[in-house]
């Protein structure tokens, strides 16, 4: 449908400008306040988006700053495009201000450009194209914007308790062609006594840490030895630890001999091991592949060493099984498990008409073969029955999600909007 393509590409500058306004909002989760369940930043980003949708003539609703929606027409919504406006902390290592959209050739650099503010802008302009081109729809379409995807999706839990989701939901919070299967996820916080100094590594639980700062005094051959400095690594999303180098386990691999807690940690989480085998795990299946296990945070507070681990487990395992193994191993090793939370794996039938329609659109627009894939990362539809991820990253591309210099190319920002507009037409006419 060339007129959709032409419409989207004629609005290039407007899309880039609006993305810049969203990126400028530091929508990292903050302290909850009355009326601001996830702090003021995420609520501000939601306000910017809903104001834009209202200006474009959409019927909008703010659901108490948990989430918001914009309806493309007056029909009962049967399709929802779900995006989120919160972001992970900026971290370190940026070549430009993370909250100023910066053009670097064809790349638009800034926190959230890839995950998920860029896709949210593409979704808005996809709906705008269908509406302004006057394409007749037989089904209603709703855009839903959340504010807590990066920290547990409590926004959608609240939204679903108070509003009904359409029967078909996709999120551009993953990659193409279609993600229909997602590993289960467990996040464990544990601790042990530690009075030998300070160690701090990692900023968020769902990313491989790129830095670990150490200032401790350990015993070596009966003599106190000071260890201080910074261990450097390479960050990546916790679902793909093989793409990174973990700064925490790197430190532990060389400096574990002077303290029993650090030595035990290094044995449970060996540097370069990604599947949790030493923790009693190491499972895999034919669909989702090997599981992952990342020691992603470490910190010293009030005489204790606090750690956090991110685990993604295969479709053929359960939360109860994996969490039981982890709890037992950590407690037998002398640690206290402070919290353990997680979700079961998610899978949607790849042969459903909804999924097949999305694959058809992908093939038509890109000329590439459509297929369903399984991932370790949890997308925004993980807890939504029948939901799938559709974009926004293309195969073999890396927008530095959760990392410094996160970006989206201008071409992909536009192409995503075109694909989503064509999906609306394919499913709703």
């Amino acid at each position: 449908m060339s007129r959709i393509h032409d419409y989207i590409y004629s609005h290039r500058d407007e899309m880039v400008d609006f993305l810049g306004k969203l990126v400028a909002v530091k929508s990292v989760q903050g302290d909850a306040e009355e009326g601001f369940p996830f702090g003021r930043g995420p609520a501000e980003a939601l306000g910017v988006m809903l104001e834009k949708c209202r200006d474009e003539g959409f019927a909008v609703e703010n659901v108490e700053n948990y989430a918001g929606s914009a309806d493309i027409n007056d029909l009962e919504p049967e399709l929802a495009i779900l995006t989120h406006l919160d972001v992970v902390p900026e971290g370190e290592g940026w070549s430009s201000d993370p909250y100023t959209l910066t053009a670097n050739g064809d790349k638009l650099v800034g926190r959230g450009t890839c995950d998920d503010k860029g896709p949210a802008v593409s979704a808005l302009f996809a709906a705008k194209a269908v509406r302004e081109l006057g394409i007749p729809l037989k089904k209603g379409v709703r855009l839903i914007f959340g504010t807590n995807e990066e920290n547990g999706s409590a926004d959608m839990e609240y939204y679903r308790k108070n509003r009904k989701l359409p029967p078909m939901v996709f999120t551009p919070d993953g990659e193409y062609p279609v993600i229909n299967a997602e590993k289960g996820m467990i996040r464990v916080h544990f601790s042990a006594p530690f009075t030998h100094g300070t160690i701090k590594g990692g900023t968020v639980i769902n990313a491989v840490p790129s830095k670990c700062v150490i200032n401790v005094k350990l015993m070596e051959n009966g003599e106190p030895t000071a260890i201080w400095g910074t261990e450097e690594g390479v960050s990546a999303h916790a679902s793909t630890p093989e793409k990174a180098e973990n700064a925490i386990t790197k430190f532990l691999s060389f400096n574990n001999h002077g303290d029993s807690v650090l030595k035990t940690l290094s044995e449970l989480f060996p540097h370069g091991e990604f599947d949790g085998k030493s923790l009693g795990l190491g499972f895999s299946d034919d669909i989702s592949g090997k599981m992952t296990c990342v020691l992603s945070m470490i910190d010293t507070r009030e005489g204790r060493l606090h750690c956090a681990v991110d685990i993604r487990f295969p479709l053929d395992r359960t939360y109860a099984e994996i969490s039981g193994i982890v709890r037992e191993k950590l407690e037998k090793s002398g640690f206290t498990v402070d919290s353990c939370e997680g979700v079961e794996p998610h899978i949607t039938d790849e042969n459903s008409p909804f999924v097949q329609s999305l694959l058809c659109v992908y093939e038509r627009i890109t000329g590439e073969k459509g297929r369903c894939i399984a991932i370790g990362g949890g997308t925004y539809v993980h807890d939504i029955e029948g939901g799938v991820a559709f974009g926004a990253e293309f195969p073999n591309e890396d927008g530095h999600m959760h990392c410094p210099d996160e970006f989206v190319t201008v071409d992909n920002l536009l192409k995503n909007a075109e694909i989503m507009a064509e999906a609306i037409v394919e499913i709703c006419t």
Side-chain angles (χ1 to χ4, degrees):
M1 190 175 289
S2 61
R3 56 183 179 144
I4 286 180
H5 174 91
D6 293 344
Y7 179 94
I8 295 295
Y9 281 74
S10 70
H11 286 73
R12 173 191 185 280
D13 292 343
E14 185 182 355
M15 292 177 66
V16 173
D17 288 345
F18 183 56
L19 177 57
K21 291 180 181 179
L22 283 178
V23 168
V25 180
K26 187 175 181 179
S27 52
V28 176
Q29 178 172 307
D31 294 332
E33 305 176 37
E34 185 175 354
F36 303 95
F38 311 114
R40 292 184 176 266
E44 182 182 350
L46 180 62
V48 171
M49 175 59 83
L50 293 182
E51 181 181 8
K52 175 67 171 175
C53 291
R54 187 179 294 109
D55 290 344
E56 295 296 343
F58 294 105
V60 305
E61 181 184 25
N62 186 334
V63 184
E64 301 174 50
N65 278 332
Y66 280 85
S69 64
D71 288 351
I72 188 174
N73 53 23
D74 297 330
L75 301 174
E76 180 70 19
E78 294 190 44
L79 171 68
I81 303 176
L82 174 63
T83 58
H84 65 90
L85 301 173
D86 61 309
V87 297
V88 298
E90 63 275 16
E92 298 179 349
W94 289 76
S95 59
S96 58
D97 178 8
Y99 300 110
T100 299
L101 189 67
T102 304
N104 181 3
D106 187 46
K107 296 178 180 179
L108 300 173
V109 180
R111 177 56 88 216
T113 49
C114 173
D115 179 33
D116 199 31
K117 292 178 177 179
V121 171
S122 296
L124 169 59
F125 278 81
K128 180 173 156 68
V130 174
R131 180 186 175 100
E132 294 194 359
L133 290 172
I135 300 172
L137 302 180
K138 297 178 182 178
K139 301 174 183 177
V141 180
R142 174 169 291 172
L143 306 181
I144 302 177
F145 309 103
T147 60
N148 185 240
E149 190 275 342
E150 299 293 0
N151 290 278
S153 297
D155 55 346
M156 289 311 299
E157 181 180 353
Y158 184 88
Y159 184 89
R160 294 169 66 189
K161 285 181 179 179
N162 294 276
R163 300 292 185 275
K164 181 181 177 181
L165 277 179
M168 295 178 287
V169 181
F170 77 77
T171 180
D173 184 39
E175 58 191 88
Y176 292 112
V178 167
I179 295 171
N180 74 316
E182 303 174 17
K183 292 176 182 174
M185 184 190 311
I186 296 178
R187 292 174 175 177
V188 185
H189 293 262
F190 59 98
S191 62
F194 188 85
T195 58
H196 305 305
T198 62
I199 306 173
K200 184 172 179 59
T203 56
V204 291
I205 196 170
N206 59 351
V208 179
S210 61
K211 179 179 289 189
C212 185
V213 181
I214 308 103
N215 188 358
V216 299
K217 184 175 289 187
L218 304 175
M219 298 298 293
E220 184 174 359
N221 298 323
E223 297 292 330
T225 301
I227 302 174
W228 59 273
T230 300
E231 195 71 68
E232 301 282 354
V234 178
S235 185
H237 194 276
S239 65
T240 56
E242 71 280 358
K243 297 180 179 179
E245 183 173 33
N246 191 319
I248 296 174
T249 58
K250 185 179 179 182
F251 158 69
L252 292 172
S253 67
F254 294 108
N255 299 281
N256 59 55
H257 48 279
D259 179 80
S260 60
V261 173
L262 298 184
K263 186 175 189 299
T264 301
L265 268 183
S266 70
E267 293 170 348
L268 295 176
F269 304 95
H271 187 57
E273 180 182 282
F274 307 125
D275 63 358
K277 184 177 181 180
S278 297
L279 200 61
L281 304 173
F283 304 115
S284 65
D285 69 11
D286 293 337
I287 298 177
S288 56
K290 293 182 178 180
M291 68 180 301
T292 59
C293 178
V294 177
L295 180 63
S296 53
M297 298 179 73
I298 190 169
D299 192 13
T300 46
R301 302 190 306 274
E302 301 176 349
R304 295 185 71 82
L305 185 71
H306 295 266
C307 303
V309 60
D310 181 292
I311 297 169
R312 314 293 172 109
F313 61 92
L315 302 174
D316 63 350
R317 303 286 169 167
T318 65
Y319 167 79
E321 177 187 9
I322 301 299
S323 62
I325 293 172
V326 173
R327 278 183 176 276
E328 182 178 9
K329 189 73 171 181
L330 288 174
E331 290 171 353
K332 282 187 175 180
S333 300
F335 293 97
T336 298
V337 176
D338 301 309
S339 67
C340 181
E341 300 177 345
V343 294
E344 303 290 357
H346 169 84
I347 189 164
T348 293
D349 183 6
E350 65 180 291
N351 296 311
S352 72
F354 174 47
V355 171
Q356 289 301 309
S357 293
L358 295 176
L359 291 175
C360 177
V361 168
Y362 175 80
E363 291 184 352
R364 187 167 69 239
I365 301 302
T366 67
E368 301 293 333
K369 176 65 177 174
R371 62 187 179 89
C372 286
I373 56 178
I375 64 165
T379 77
Y380 214 8
V381 296
H382 191 97
D383 294 322
I384 298 175
E385 184 177 355
V388 297
F390 186 51
E393 286 195 291
F394 290 87
N396 303 314
E397 291 188 346
D398 181 6
H400 296 177
M401 183 186 299
H402 291 194
C403 298
D405 289 345
E406 178 184 351
F407 73 92
V408 64
T409 65
V410 174
D411 185 59
N412 283 358
L413 184 72
L414 302 174
K415 190 180 296 184
N416 277 320
E418 181 182 5
I419 290 174
M420 281 189 261
E422 291 281 4
I424 291 172
V425 174
E426 179 77 18
I427 293 168
C428 298
T429 57

